[in-house]
Amino acid sequence: MHIVVCIKQVPDSAQIRVHPVTNTIMRQGVPTIINPYDLFALEAALSLRDIDGGEVTVLTMGPPMAEDALRKALTYGADRAVLLTDRFFAGSDTLATSFALSQAICKIAEAFGPPDMVFTGKQTIDGDTAQVGPGIAKRLELLQLTYVAKIASLDLDAREITVERRAEGGMQMLKSKLPCLVTMLEGTNEIRRGSLKDALRAARSQIVKWSAADAGIEDLSKCGLRGSPTVVKRVFAPASRAEKVVQIDTADKLLRDLADELIAAIFARQPALEHELAFEGA
């Protein structure tokens, strides 16, 4: 069994700052981490490998410094790591990113064997689009299982996987044929501690580094800014609200009186809402 896990190195959101003049994210001096959602995807892949055997290949696209995230993934127990890095990828949106990653997965299939599954996190904390995983699945014509909360079972002989998927109003139990792509939700498993053996192996491991040409990407017009129909115009921090919180005194008041007072306060601030509700009830 061969599993490919796509991860991303992202700025630590707890320490991100926005430039007060340009309103852009200030990345200088901000530490980077593996996208937290991707860690749950990595753990799910490693757990399946521990049970059924096989190999886990970790893939990321980014600048040379993204090698740090791949080495971290190796300390958790991944078998190999591939870094897709090239100036042609700069400025990629989700469409261009999914194209480059899908091409790299095809190259991984040629070099290390076709993957039975591709795992990604639900989304990234710096983009929050949840589009790259499904985009990869579409380009590779893979069945996709999104918002997965648990891998219920895997039958390699029957080439089937069963998962629990979070949906509006409850959970869905889905069965799919392999190969497929899975996007994992947060909090779905307990991320392991890397062993000393894996840490030493990660420090010595050779990261596979591919340029666009190495990955077999011929149409560079689909990469980077040229292949990105969307751009981030501006990043800004929401302005603080000037309104103050209104506190209702609850001492020695009946629940009915409190409810009436709360509704009256809401209608006083939102008179259009009172009119709209009265119109609907008429």
Side-chain angles (χ1 to χ4, degrees), residues 234-279:
R234 186 164 62 103
V235 177
F236 62 94
S240 301
R241 291 187 177 181
E243 305 158 4
K244 294 184 178 180
V245 174
V246 177
Q247 184 173 348
I248 298 177
D249 185 12
T250 62
D252 302 324
K253 292 183 179 180
L254 297 175
L255 290 177
R256 178 179 295 177
D257 295 334
L258 284 173
D260 291 340
E261 190 174 348
L262 176 60
I263 292 173
I266 293 174
F267 286 163
R269 297 170 67 96
Q270 301 286 340
L273 178 61
E274 182 179 10
H275 176 74
E276 182 179 331
L277 291 175
F279 178 78

Side-chain angles (χ1 to χ4, degrees), residues 1-165:
M1 179 176 63
H2 184 199
I3 303 176
V4 173
V5 182
C6 297
I7 68 171
K8 184 180 181 182
Q9 187 179 59
V10 296
D12 188 344
S13 60
Q15 302 187 48
I16 284 181
R17 297 169 296 158
V18 177
H19 195 284
V21 177
T22 63
N23 289 318
T24 57
I25 292 178
M26 299 171 62
R27 298 179 182 268
Q28 293 79 6
V30 178
T32 56
I33 58 174
I34 296 178
N35 177 51
Y37 293 101
D38 297 342
L39 289 176
F40 296 107
L42 177 60
E43 177 59 36
L46 293 173
S47 297
L48 291 177
R49 183 207 58 187
D50 292 345
I51 296 172
D52 297 296
E55 294 182 329
V56 172
T57 299
V58 182
L59 168 67
T60 193
M61 185 183 82
M65 63 180 291
E67 181 179 331
D68 296 338
L70 291 174
R71 290 200 182 278
K72 182 67 174 178
L74 290 174
T75 66
Y76 287 116
D79 297 283
R80 72 174 61 85
V82 177
L83 172 60
L84 189 62
T85 183
D86 199 306
R87 62 185 179 85
F88 292 111
F89 301 139
S92 294
D93 69 355
T94 55
L95 191 70
T97 298
S98 63
F99 170 74
L101 289 175
S102 63
Q103 294 294 293
I105 292 172
C106 291
K107 183 66 176 181
I108 287 174
E110 295 177 7
F112 309 112
D116 299 282
M117 286 170 283
V118 178
F119 275 80
T120 73
K122 177 189 72 172
Q123 62 194 61
T124 59
I125 60 174
D126 63 342
D128 285 339
T129 63
Q131 294 174 349
V132 172
I136 293 172
K138 175 63 176 178
R139 293 183 183 279
L140 295 179
E141 298 183 350
L142 295 175
L143 299 171
Q144 57 179 301
L145 301 166
T146 58
Y147 296 91
V148 171
K150 180 182 177 181
I151 307 296
S153 66
L154 175 65
D155 189 337
L156 290 176
D157 293 330
R159 303 286 293 168
E160 290 181 344
I161 185 172
T162 304
V163 303
E164 292 182 10
R165 179 183 187 271

Side-chain angles (χ1 to χ4, degrees), residues 161-220:
I161 185 172
T162 304
V163 303
E164 292 182 10
R165 179 183 187 271
R166 186 185 300 170
E168 292 185 13
M171 300 292 293
Q172 297 175 334
M173 186 71 75
L174 301 178
K175 181 181 289 186
S176 170
K177 287 289 186 179
L178 302 181
C180 66
L181 181 140
V182 178
T183 72
M184 295 296 298
L185 289 172
E186 70 283 3
T188 52
N189 47 45
E190 185 174 346
I191 300 168
R192 67 188 64 194
R193 288 178 174 270
S195 66
L196 177 59
K197 178 181 178 182
D198 284 327
L200 294 174
R201 178 178 61 86
R204 297 191 300 264
S205 293
Q206 184 72 31
I207 304 295
V208 179
K209 298 178 182 179
W210 287 340
S211 64
D214 295 330
I217 300 176
E218 299 178 355
D219 190 355
L220 296 178

